[in-house]
Amino acid sequence: MTTTTEAVNLTAPLPRGGIVQSVRDSLVIAKRNLLRMTRIPEVIIFGMIQPVMFVVLFSYVFGGSVSVGGNTSAVEYRNFLMAGIFAQTVTFATAGSGAGIADDMHKGLIDRFRSLPMSRGAVLTGRTLADLVQTALTIVVLVIVALLVGWRIHEGIPKALAAFGLLLLLGYAFSWIGALIGLSVRTPEAATSGGLIWLFPVTFVSNAFVDSSQMTPWLRHIADWNPFSATVQACRELFGNPGVSQSDAWPMQYPVWASLIWSIVIIVLFRTLAVRKYRSAAG
Protein backbone atom coordinates (compact mmCIF):
# COMPACT_ATOMS: atom_id res chain seq x y z
CA MET A 1 0.00 0.00 0.00
CA THR A 2 2.85 2.38 0.91
CA THR A 3 4.70 1.60 -2.32
CA THR A 4 1.58 2.30 -4.38
CA THR A 5 0.98 5.60 -2.61
CA GLU A 6 4.57 6.71 -3.17
CA ALA A 7 4.32 5.79 -6.85
CA VAL A 8 1.16 7.90 -7.22
CA ASN A 9 2.80 10.84 -5.49
CA LEU A 10 5.82 10.60 -7.78
CA THR A 11 3.81 10.48 -10.98
CA ALA A 12 1.40 13.29 -10.06
CA PRO A 13 3.35 16.55 -10.40
CA LEU A 14 2.47 19.32 -8.01
CA PRO A 15 1.44 22.71 -9.42
CA ARG A 16 4.14 25.34 -9.14
CA GLY A 17 3.25 28.30 -7.00
CA GLY A 18 3.94 32.00 -7.17
CA ILE A 19 2.29 34.85 -9.00
CA VAL A 20 5.05 35.08 -11.63
CA GLN A 21 4.75 31.40 -12.47
CA SER A 22 0.96 31.66 -12.59
CA VAL A 23 1.22 34.56 -15.05
CA ARG A 24 3.66 32.61 -17.22
CA ASP A 25 1.41 29.55 -17.24
CA SER A 26 -1.60 31.70 -18.14
CA LEU A 27 0.26 33.30 -21.05
CA VAL A 28 1.32 29.87 -22.34
CA ILE A 29 -2.29 28.68 -22.31
CA ALA A 30 -3.43 31.94 -23.93
CA LYS A 31 -0.86 31.50 -26.70
CA ARG A 32 -2.02 27.93 -27.26
CA ASN A 33 -5.64 29.07 -27.62
CA LEU A 34 -4.72 31.94 -29.95
CA LEU A 35 -2.78 29.56 -32.21
CA ARG A 36 -5.76 27.25 -32.20
CA MET A 37 -8.03 30.10 -33.27
CA THR A 38 -5.80 30.96 -36.23
CA ARG A 39 -6.11 27.36 -37.42
CA ILE A 40 -9.91 27.62 -37.35
CA PRO A 41 -10.45 31.03 -39.01
CA GLU A 42 -14.15 30.41 -39.62
CA VAL A 43 -14.78 30.76 -35.88
CA ILE A 44 -13.29 34.27 -35.94
CA ILE A 45 -15.07 35.19 -39.19
CA PHE A 46 -18.51 34.05 -38.00
CA GLY A 47 -17.91 35.81 -34.68
CA MET A 48 -17.41 39.06 -36.59
CA ILE A 49 -20.37 38.66 -38.93
CA GLN A 50 -23.03 38.60 -36.20
CA PRO A 51 -22.26 42.03 -34.63
CA VAL A 52 -21.89 43.57 -38.10
CA MET A 53 -25.39 42.29 -38.92
CA PHE A 54 -26.70 43.85 -35.71
CA VAL A 55 -25.19 47.21 -36.65
CA VAL A 56 -26.71 47.20 -40.13
CA LEU A 57 -30.12 45.85 -39.08
CA PHE A 58 -30.61 48.11 -36.06
CA SER A 59 -29.27 51.16 -37.89
CA TYR A 60 -31.49 50.89 -40.94
CA VAL A 61 -34.53 49.05 -39.56
CA PHE A 62 -35.00 50.97 -36.31
CA GLY A 63 -33.17 54.16 -37.25
CA GLY A 64 -35.70 56.96 -37.58
CA SER A 65 -38.42 55.12 -35.64
CA VAL A 66 -36.89 55.18 -32.14
CA SER A 67 -36.85 58.44 -30.20
CA VAL A 68 -33.62 59.55 -28.54
CA GLY A 69 -34.27 62.51 -26.27
CA GLY A 70 -37.33 63.38 -28.35
CA ASN A 71 -35.34 63.23 -31.58
CA THR A 72 -36.19 60.52 -34.13
CA SER A 73 -33.30 61.27 -36.50
CA ALA A 74 -31.76 58.11 -37.98
CA VAL A 75 -28.25 59.55 -37.59
CA GLU A 76 -28.94 60.41 -33.96
CA TYR A 77 -30.13 56.88 -33.26
CA ARG A 78 -27.05 55.33 -34.91
CA ASN A 79 -24.79 57.35 -32.64
CA PHE A 80 -26.95 56.36 -29.66
CA LEU A 81 -26.98 52.71 -30.73
CA MET A 82 -23.29 51.98 -31.20
CA ALA A 83 -22.30 51.93 -27.52
CA GLY A 84 -25.00 49.30 -26.98
CA ILE A 85 -23.83 47.22 -29.94
CA PHE A 86 -20.22 47.36 -28.75
CA ALA A 87 -21.25 46.23 -25.28
CA GLN A 88 -23.50 43.49 -26.65
CA THR A 89 -20.64 42.19 -28.79
CA VAL A 90 -18.18 41.84 -25.91
CA THR A 91 -20.77 40.16 -23.69
CA PHE A 92 -22.06 37.73 -26.31
CA ALA A 93 -18.50 36.41 -26.61
CA THR A 94 -19.22 34.84 -23.21
CA ALA A 95 -21.11 32.00 -24.88
CA GLY A 96 -18.04 31.15 -26.95
CA SER A 97 -15.83 31.09 -23.84
CA GLY A 98 -18.15 28.69 -22.08
CA ALA A 99 -18.51 26.45 -25.12
CA GLY A 100 -14.73 26.34 -25.62
CA ILE A 101 -14.06 25.30 -22.04
CA ALA A 102 -16.86 22.71 -22.16
CA ASP A 103 -15.38 21.35 -25.39
CA ASP A 104 -11.93 21.05 -23.79
CA MET A 105 -13.50 19.24 -20.83
CA HIS A 106 -15.46 16.92 -23.14
CA LYS A 107 -12.36 15.99 -25.18
CA GLY A 108 -10.22 15.37 -22.11
CA LEU A 109 -7.83 18.23 -22.81
CA ILE A 110 -8.37 19.69 -19.36
CA ASP A 111 -7.38 16.34 -17.83
CA ARG A 112 -4.07 16.52 -19.68
CA PHE A 113 -3.47 20.02 -18.35
CA ARG A 114 -4.13 18.74 -14.83
CA SER A 115 -1.25 16.27 -15.19
CA LEU A 116 1.20 19.14 -15.70
CA PRO A 117 2.93 21.03 -12.86
CA MET A 118 1.15 24.31 -13.55
CA SER A 119 -1.07 26.77 -11.72
CA ARG A 120 -4.65 25.53 -11.48
CA GLY A 121 -6.13 28.89 -12.36
CA ALA A 122 -3.83 29.34 -15.38
CA VAL A 123 -5.93 27.09 -17.63
CA LEU A 124 -9.00 29.26 -17.19
CA THR A 125 -7.12 32.56 -17.14
CA GLY A 126 -5.30 31.70 -20.36
CA ARG A 127 -8.55 30.77 -22.05
CA THR A 128 -10.31 33.99 -21.03
CA LEU A 129 -7.32 36.11 -22.12
CA ALA A 130 -7.31 34.47 -25.55
CA ASP A 131 -11.04 35.11 -25.89
CA LEU A 132 -10.41 38.74 -24.91
CA VAL A 133 -7.95 39.11 -27.80
CA GLN A 134 -10.49 37.70 -30.23
CA THR A 135 -13.12 40.10 -28.86
CA ALA A 136 -10.75 43.03 -29.35
CA LEU A 137 -10.28 42.07 -33.01
CA THR A 138 -14.05 41.93 -33.45
CA ILE A 139 -14.39 45.39 -31.92
CA VAL A 140 -11.84 46.78 -34.41
CA VAL A 141 -13.90 45.45 -37.33
CA LEU A 142 -17.08 46.74 -35.72
CA VAL A 143 -15.65 50.24 -35.33
CA ILE A 144 -14.87 50.35 -39.06
CA VAL A 145 -18.44 49.30 -39.92
CA ALA A 146 -19.86 51.81 -37.43
CA LEU A 147 -17.89 54.63 -39.02
CA LEU A 148 -19.22 53.61 -42.43
CA VAL A 149 -22.85 53.85 -41.27
CA GLY A 150 -22.33 57.29 -39.76
CA TRP A 151 -21.18 56.80 -36.16
CA ARG A 152 -18.73 59.40 -34.87
CA ILE A 153 -16.63 60.09 -31.77
CA HIS A 154 -16.98 63.61 -30.36
CA GLU A 155 -14.83 63.60 -27.20
CA GLY A 156 -11.39 62.81 -28.60
CA ILE A 157 -9.23 59.71 -28.94
CA PRO A 158 -8.09 59.39 -25.27
CA LYS A 159 -11.67 59.20 -23.97
CA ALA A 160 -12.63 56.84 -26.79
CA LEU A 161 -9.76 54.51 -25.84
CA ALA A 162 -10.95 54.65 -22.21
CA ALA A 163 -14.42 53.63 -23.40
CA PHE A 164 -13.03 50.66 -25.33
CA GLY A 165 -11.04 49.73 -22.23
CA LEU A 166 -14.25 49.62 -20.19
CA LEU A 167 -15.88 47.49 -22.90
CA LEU A 168 -13.05 44.96 -22.89
CA LEU A 169 -13.04 44.87 -19.09
CA LEU A 170 -16.76 44.10 -19.11
CA GLY A 171 -16.21 41.41 -21.75
CA TYR A 172 -13.42 39.87 -19.67
CA ALA A 173 -15.62 39.93 -16.57
CA PHE A 174 -18.49 38.21 -18.37
CA SER A 175 -16.10 35.61 -19.83
CA TRP A 176 -15.59 34.30 -16.29
CA ILE A 177 -19.33 33.72 -16.06
CA GLY A 178 -19.02 31.76 -19.29
CA ALA A 179 -16.09 29.81 -17.84
CA LEU A 180 -18.16 28.80 -14.82
CA ILE A 181 -21.01 27.71 -17.08
CA GLY A 182 -18.62 25.72 -19.28
CA LEU A 183 -17.28 23.87 -16.25
CA SER A 184 -20.78 23.18 -14.94
CA VAL A 185 -22.31 21.47 -17.99
CA ARG A 186 -21.52 18.26 -19.82
CA THR A 187 -21.47 19.31 -23.49
CA PRO A 188 -20.44 22.36 -25.57
CA GLU A 189 -24.00 22.60 -26.89
CA ALA A 190 -25.35 22.97 -23.36
CA ALA A 191 -22.70 25.60 -22.61
CA THR A 192 -23.71 27.62 -25.70
CA SER A 193 -27.39 27.49 -24.76
CA GLY A 194 -26.72 28.24 -21.12
CA GLY A 195 -24.42 31.08 -22.08
CA LEU A 196 -27.04 32.79 -24.24
CA ILE A 197 -30.19 32.33 -22.15
CA TRP A 198 -29.17 34.79 -19.44
CA LEU A 199 -27.46 37.21 -21.85
CA PHE A 200 -30.65 38.19 -23.69
CA PRO A 201 -32.46 39.69 -20.66
CA VAL A 202 -29.22 41.31 -19.46
CA THR A 203 -28.63 43.06 -22.80
CA PHE A 204 -32.21 43.91 -23.72
CA VAL A 205 -33.45 45.00 -20.28
CA SER A 206 -30.98 47.85 -20.43
CA ASN A 207 -30.37 51.21 -22.06
CA ALA A 208 -28.50 49.65 -25.00
CA PHE A 209 -31.18 49.96 -27.69
CA VAL A 210 -33.79 52.29 -26.19
CA ASP A 211 -33.71 55.06 -23.61
CA SER A 212 -34.55 53.48 -20.23
CA SER A 213 -36.75 56.50 -19.41
CA GLN A 214 -39.29 55.09 -21.89
CA MET A 215 -39.70 51.91 -19.81
CA THR A 216 -42.20 51.29 -17.04
CA PRO A 217 -40.89 52.40 -13.61
CA TRP A 218 -40.06 48.94 -12.24
CA LEU A 219 -38.34 47.88 -15.46
CA ARG A 220 -36.47 51.18 -15.69
CA HIS A 221 -35.11 50.61 -12.16
CA ILE A 222 -33.75 47.18 -13.18
CA ALA A 223 -32.25 48.62 -16.37
CA ASP A 224 -30.55 51.50 -14.53
CA TRP A 225 -28.85 49.14 -12.07
CA ASN A 226 -27.88 46.62 -14.73
CA PRO A 227 -24.03 46.35 -14.96
CA PHE A 228 -24.42 46.22 -18.73
CA SER A 229 -26.28 49.56 -18.71
CA ALA A 230 -23.52 51.22 -16.67
CA THR A 231 -20.90 50.34 -19.28
CA VAL A 232 -23.15 51.43 -22.15
CA GLN A 233 -23.84 54.78 -20.47
CA ALA A 234 -20.15 55.27 -19.66
CA CYS A 235 -19.23 54.66 -23.30
CA ARG A 236 -21.84 57.15 -24.53
CA GLU A 237 -20.39 59.81 -22.27
CA LEU A 238 -16.80 59.04 -23.28
CA PHE A 239 -17.68 58.88 -26.99
CA GLY A 240 -19.79 62.04 -26.75
CA ASN A 241 -22.79 60.22 -28.20
CA PRO A 242 -26.44 61.14 -27.47
CA GLY A 243 -28.40 59.43 -24.72
CA VAL A 244 -27.69 61.40 -21.54
CA SER A 245 -29.59 59.63 -18.78
CA GLN A 246 -32.12 61.56 -16.73
CA SER A 247 -32.21 58.83 -14.08
CA ASP A 248 -31.32 59.55 -10.45
CA ALA A 249 -29.86 56.04 -10.03
CA TRP A 250 -26.21 56.15 -8.92
CA PRO A 251 -24.90 53.99 -11.82
CA MET A 252 -26.43 56.39 -14.32
CA GLN A 253 -25.06 59.45 -12.55
CA TYR A 254 -21.53 58.02 -12.31
CA PRO A 255 -21.46 55.40 -15.07
CA VAL A 256 -17.65 55.22 -15.49
CA TRP A 257 -17.12 54.39 -11.83
CA ALA A 258 -20.14 52.08 -11.82
CA SER A 259 -18.80 50.22 -14.86
CA LEU A 260 -15.38 49.75 -13.25
CA ILE A 261 -16.83 48.58 -9.94
CA TRP A 262 -19.33 46.17 -11.53
CA SER A 263 -16.68 44.61 -13.78
CA ILE A 264 -14.15 44.16 -10.97
CA VAL A 265 -16.76 42.63 -8.66
CA ILE A 266 -17.87 40.19 -11.38
CA ILE A 267 -14.26 39.19 -12.14
CA VAL A 268 -13.39 38.58 -8.47
CA LEU A 269 -16.61 36.67 -7.75
CA PHE A 270 -16.85 34.47 -10.81
CA ARG A 271 -13.12 33.82 -11.15
CA THR A 272 -13.14 32.53 -7.59
CA LEU A 273 -16.15 30.32 -8.29
CA ALA A 274 -14.76 29.06 -11.63
CA VAL A 275 -11.31 28.17 -10.22
CA ARG A 276 -12.96 26.44 -7.27
CA LYS A 277 -15.17 24.48 -9.68
CA TYR A 278 -12.11 23.54 -11.73
CA ARG A 279 -10.25 22.33 -8.64
CA SER A 280 -13.20 20.29 -7.40
CA ALA A 281 -13.53 18.71 -10.84
CA ALA A 282 -9.82 17.95 -10.75
CA GLY A 283 -10.25 16.24 -7.45
Side-chain angles (χ1 to χ4, degrees):
M1 179 66 70
T2 304
T3 304
T4 303
T5 303
E6 290 177 353
V8 171
N9 290 336
L10 289 173
T11 57
L14 296 175
R16 293 170 291 186
I19 296 177
V20 174
Q21 187 60 51
S22 179
V23 170
R24 288 177 180 173
D25 292 341
S26 299
L27 293 177
V28 169
I29 297 297
K31 181 179 178 181
R32 172 256 173 195
N33 282 286
L34 289 172
L35 289 174
R36 184 184 180 189
M37 289 176 187
T38 60
R39 293 166 185 166
I40 314 175
E42 56 268 27
V43 174
I44 300 176
I45 294 172
F46 290 148
M48 293 179 177
I49 290 176
Q50 179 180 325
V52 169
M53 290 178 59
F54 271 114
V55 172
V56 175
L57 290 174
F58 274 88
S59 296
Y60 292 100
V61 174
F62 295 103
S65 61
V66 177
S67 174
V68 179
N71 190 338
T72 57
S73 166
V75 175
E76 194 82 355
Y77 180 67
R78 287 170 196 161
N79 282 284
F80 170 85
L81 172 71
M82 284 314 305
I85 294 292
F86 288 143
Q88 184 192 53
T89 299
V90 300
T91 53
F92 268 46
T94 299
S97 299
I101 291 174
D103 186 51
D104 288 343
M105 291 281 290
H106 184 68
K107 292 179 178 178
L109 183 63
I110 298 295
D111 292 328
R112 292 196 288 274
F113 283 138
R114 289 171 185 159
S115 67
L116 300 175
M118 62 188 300
S119 170
R120 294 303 185 195
V123 175
L124 301 179
T125 302
R127 175 74 204 200
T128 54
L129 287 175
D131 290 334
L132 183 64
V133 173
Q134 181 179 350
T135 301
L137 292 175
T138 304
I139 288 293
V140 171
V141 175
L142 203 55
V143 167
I144 295 173
V145 176
L147 292 172
L148 292 176
V149 299
W151 175 70
R152 295 293 182 268
I153 295 170
H154 302 285
E155 292 293 334
I157 299 299
K159 287 188 176 182
L161 292 177
F164 288 121
L166 289 177
L167 286 168
L168 292 176
L169 183 63
L170 179 71
Y172 184 67
F174 274 42
S175 69
W176 281 105
I177 302 178
L180 181 61
I181 293 173
L183 291 168
S184 303
V185 299
R186 297 181 180 180
T187 64
E189 293 80 8
T192 301
S193 300
L196 288 174
I197 287 174
W198 65 275
L199 279 173
F200 278 103
V202 166
T203 55
F204 283 94
V205 183
S206 71
N207 59 0
F209 307 111
V210 296
D211 190 346
S212 60
S213 64
Q214 300 178 22
M215 302 178 182
T216 57
W218 67 271
L219 197 60
R220 181 173 66 247
H221 185 72
I222 295 174
D224 288 343
W225 283 89
N226 184 344
F228 183 83
S229 293
T231 300
V232 172
Q233 190 62 33
C235 289
R236 287 192 180 124
E237 288 192 3
L238 293 171
F239 289 144
N241 292 161
V244 177
S245 176
Q246 303 300 319
S247 172
D248 293 329
W250 185 84
M252 296 297 100
Q253 293 295 315
Y254 305 96
V256 174
W257 283 108
S259 176
L260 282 170
I261 293 170
W262 274 122
S263 295
I264 292 171
V265 168
I266 292 171
I267 290 172
V268 172
L269 176 61
F270 283 94
R271 187 185 189 280
T272 302
L273 293 174
V275 172
R276 185 176 298 174
K277 182 73 176 178
Y278 176 84
R279 287 174 175 169
S280 66

